[in-house]
Amino acid sequence: LISKARCLQDRVPACQFAAVITGAENTYFERCFQELGCADVERRIAIPNAACTTGFIDLMRDVASNGSLGEILSVLVVCEWTYLCWGEAVSSTTNRDEFITYEWVDLHSGPAFRSVVDYLRGLLDK
């Protein structure tokens, strides 16, 4: 996304988005893996994916490696906008007792995440 963005003005928010998903969001998943007993990469690899998950992973990898900016954005917008809709739909009723649920909702709802989705949608609309 960053290297294929049209101009610096489009690249800066993409870099900020990359910082989020490699920072707080990444540590969230690492802590979830630990909590769920699958912190070891080899153990996670041994867990079979559903066919639809494998297909989605393949799509993401292919688009990331070979896709145009429009193709990359098409995949990201669908994914991130769906997460935003899910997160906002349950944010007021989320069980706050276990971090696995509420932190995912917190990461995928609210003004900061909405601005990421709006940015991605705006790029796609260009």
Side-chain angles (χ1 to χ4, degrees):
L1 172 63
I2 296 166
S3 67
K4 296 189 180 195
R6 294 175 189 93
C7 61
L8 182 61
Q9 181 181 1
D10 292 344
R11 286 187 183 103
V12 170
C15 291
Q16 292 167 334
F17 176 59
V20 169
I21 63 175
T22 58
E25 188 167 328
N26 190 54
T27 60
Y28 162 77
F29 285 107
E30 290 172 352
R31 289 181 294 113
C32 287
F33 292 149
Q34 187 70 39
E35 181 72 18
L36 297 170
C38 56
D40 179 62
V41 173
E42 296 299 320
R43 179 150 185 229
R44 281 198 311 275
I45 291 171
I47 300 170
N49 288 325
C52 63
T53 303
T54 299
F56 186 69
I57 291 168
D58 291 346
L59 172 67
M60 292 285 277
R61 286 184 177 146
D62 181 54
V63 168
S65 297
N66 306 308
S68 67
L69 177 61
E71 291 167 332
I72 292 168
L73 288 168
S74 294
V75 172
L76 280 176
V77 166
V78 168
C79 186
E80 302 300 336
W81 198 0
T82 299
Y83 292 168
L84 175 67
C85 291
W86 290 343
E88 288 187 343
V90 299
S91 64
S92 64
T93 59
T94 298
N95 180 344
R96 306 302 272 182
D97 294 335
E98 293 184 12
F99 80 91
I100 291 174
T101 303
Y102 77 79
E103 283 191 30
W104 187 94
V105 171
D106 291 351
L107 284 168
H108 297 95
S109 62
F113 191 66
R114 175 166 289 286
S115 71
V116 169
V117 173
D118 289 346
Y119 157 74
L120 293 170
R121 289 177 59 201
L123 283 182
L124 186 58
D125 288 344
K126 285 185 177 181

